[in-house]
Amino acid sequence: MVDIGIEPYREITFDADGDADPAERAALTSLDVTDLVMFSHGWNNTPSVATALYAHFFQPFPGLLAASGAPAAQVRLGYAGIVWPSIRFTDEQIPNFPHAVAADPGQGPGLDPATVQALKRTFPGHDESVDQLAALLAQQPDSEDALRHFGELTRQLVAHGDGSASFAADTLDDGPDGAAALLTQDTLGLYREFTLALSDTGMAVEPGPAGPAFSIGDSLKHLWDGAKEVLRQTTYYEMKRRSGKVGQLGLGPLLGELARTRPSMRIHLVGHSQGGRLVAFALKGLPDGARNVKSVTLLEGAFSHYAFAEQLPDGLGGAGALAALQRRVDGPVVSCYSRFDTALGVLYPLASKLACDYQGLLELDRRWWAIGHDGIQSVSPCAELTLAEVLRDGIPDSGCVSVNAEAVVRAGGPPSGAHSDICHPELARVILAAGHIGCV
């Protein structure tokens, strides 16, 4: 058993195909609790960082529950950390989280050894390509051929034929493989767009030539910032695919098992970033008739704000990949969002648009926004609340709810901004309110 200083706590580990550790599964089903909060980390975590994050995040819960006056006989709260194989770029910090160590800001756009090893674990069989990518980022040749070769190597990492691309779609008209599509466009133009986007997040990048084209003789070295961000975004798409697969094929059936074996246990799902996508896609794999999921809380969710829509807005075809699945929750589906999250406000919409349509890059429309940027969209009814309103009045008993959490989700540097600024007691109170756990 993992000890995070809060009991009872269990971890449940899934592999890339959604298979859970049998011993951990048995330990989870043996918990004697009335309510179980299950939290999934995002894509930019290692297992050890995820465990430390859970310890930090869950720390306020016992005190908040005690302060609510809920009788111990009525509420026995348990905690579970979902661990899934994601990748961590170690140059991003988690605000207010002492276990996160940022890379040396002076190292430039290169890859530190931990990130190189993480890439090799994520893309087995591509060690040589990863080493070449790291060498190119370290050297930053002022060469168009080198930049294009970097794109070819990156494309090799995400070339899949295993049928898992379907798990990457957030809306039913998404392309089948966003990462591959991202890399079919003009390489230099692609790097330039991401270099410009990084500057919009407040990240200092080497200035390059103005205008849409590069004339002969211009230095290309400034594009390596954008090249590294393209690599980061392609790993993001790999994790997007994986989070959907683990949620639908792994967590969803496990929740069905808990509904059979522990029918009185109330489940409260929580997910950060891609972990929000994982717990949301678990609803897709939840067996018919299972009604044990009592709330879902998404913290800066890194997937489409149209995911739950039964019909996309005018001009857009299809529906959300999770259309109407909020009805499988016997309680509310809550999306906490913040405008200070530049990962979702700047980089995510650009990457999402590039994955399907390379025209009009700088005229990003609402189609490409994330659920953690402006909440749940094109679902009616959907309550729109501020964090102060939630803390004062609580959360509706059911349906979709969007919560503007920018009052606390606001710290963090470039390029991700406040994307990981989630360790706040106020957000713990949102989760307790969503699940109607105690009288918080």
Side-chain angles (χ1 to χ4, degrees):
M1 301 296 179
V2 178
D3 182 7
I4 64 168
I6 298 171
E7 285 292 338
Y9 173 78
R10 301 288 185 269
E11 282 189 354
I12 184 73
T13 303
F14 294 97
D15 66 16
D17 294 319
D19 294 324
D21 180 276
E24 292 179 345
R25 180 190 290 265
L28 187 68
T29 57
S30 68
L31 279 175
D32 181 21
V33 296
T34 60
D35 294 81
L36 179 64
V37 179
M38 302 185 72
F39 184 18
S40 175
H41 63 80
W43 73 287
N44 200 25
N45 285 271
T46 62
S48 60
V49 169
T51 297
L53 175 61
Y54 296 147
H56 198 52
F57 186 85
F58 284 137
Q59 189 273 331
F61 279 75
L64 291 172
L65 188 60
S68 74
Q74 292 183 10
V75 180
R76 300 187 308 280
L77 186 57
Y79 311 88
I82 298 168
V83 179
W84 58 285
S86 64
I87 183 174
R88 177 161 176 77
F89 273 69
T90 58
D91 60 350
E92 292 188 18
Q93 278 188 300
I94 302 175
N96 306 314
F97 180 50
H99 299 274
V101 179
D104 180 0
Q107 75 172 35
L111 302 176
D112 62 279
T115 302
V116 170
Q117 292 306 311
L119 285 167
K120 290 180 178 180
R121 289 192 299 270
T122 302
F123 303 105
H126 292 283
D127 287 13
E128 184 177 348
S129 294
V130 171
D131 286 335
Q132 291 184 54
L133 287 166
L136 286 168
L137 281 175
Q139 297 162 9
Q140 302 180 53
D142 190 4
S143 161
E144 180 176 330
D145 287 343
L147 285 159
R148 294 193 186 280
H149 184 49
F150 187 90
E152 293 170 359
L153 291 169
T154 304
R155 187 179 297 116
Q156 291 175 13
L157 299 184
V158 295
H160 279 270
D162 60 1
S164 64
S166 61
F167 294 101
D170 284 348
T171 58
L172 299 185
D173 64 342
D174 274 358
D177 193 345
L182 185 72
L183 292 169
T184 61
Q185 312 302 334
D186 174 69
T187 305
L188 298 187
L190 186 63
Y191 296 162
R192 180 175 184 271
E193 295 301 334
F194 274 102
T195 300
L196 291 172
L198 287 171
S199 67
D200 286 343
T201 71
M203 183 173 175
V205 297
E206 184 179 339
F214 299 99
S215 57
I216 295 175
D218 284 326
S219 171
L220 301 177
K221 287 182 70 68
H222 67 287
L223 294 183
W224 285 104
D225 293 296
K228 180 181 178 181
E229 190 58 36
V230 168
L231 175 61
R232 192 196 310 267
Q233 292 301 324
T234 54
T235 62
Y236 161 84
Y237 271 96
E238 174 65 18
M239 295 303 105
K240 178 181 181 181
R241 175 167 33 205
R242 184 172 296 177
S243 64
K245 189 173 187 179
V246 172
Q248 184 173 340
L249 301 184
L251 181 58
L254 174 61
L255 296 173
E257 179 183 342
L258 289 172
R260 294 189 305 271
T261 60
R262 304 304 301 269
S264 63
M265 183 186 292
R266 306 170 74 248
I267 306 295
H268 309 278
L269 300 178
V270 182
H272 169 238
S273 187
Q274 290 279 13
R277 191 173 193 273
L278 190 154
V279 300
F281 269 71
L283 301 177
K284 209 168 187 178
L286 189 66
D288 291 340
R291 301 295 292 171
N292 57 335
V293 178
K294 303 300 180 180
S295 67
V296 176
T297 304
L298 311 170
L299 304 175
E300 300 307 299
F303 60 106
S304 173
H305 60 182
Y306 294 138
F308 290 100
E310 295 184 68
Q311 182 175 347
L312 299 188
D314 293 342
L316 302 177
L322 305 175
L325 288 188
Q326 70 271 17
R327 296 170 188 163
R328 292 191 175 185
V329 180
D330 190 22
V333 173
V334 180
S335 173
C336 293
Y337 66 92
S338 170
R339 63 187 172 95
F340 297 109
D341 183 339
T342 50
L344 299 184
V346 178
L347 299 174
Y348 172 91
L350 177 59
S352 297
K353 186 173 180 63
L354 287 173
C356 299
D357 180 2
Y358 193 65
Q359 298 178 0
L361 294 181
L362 299 181
E363 299 176 3
L364 299 175
D365 58 47
R366 290 173 57 87
R367 180 178 184 179
W368 313 112
W369 289 3
I371 205 167
H373 176 68
D374 65 339
I376 299 167
Q377 300 296 317
S378 293
V379 175
S380 183
C382 179
E384 296 277 351
L385 303 173
T386 65
L387 181 60
E389 289 171 333
V390 169
L391 299 182
R392 184 190 66 214
D393 303 325
I395 287 178
D397 292 341
S398 63
C400 289
V401 182
S402 294
V403 177
N404 184 339
E406 67 182 38
V408 296
V409 181
R410 55 191 305 118
S416 296
H419 184 61
S420 293
D421 187 19
I422 60 169
C423 293
H424 297 283
E426 292 88 349
L427 296 182
R429 290 181 62 189
V430 170
I431 293 164
L432 293 171
H436 294 82
I437 306 170
C439 302
V440 180

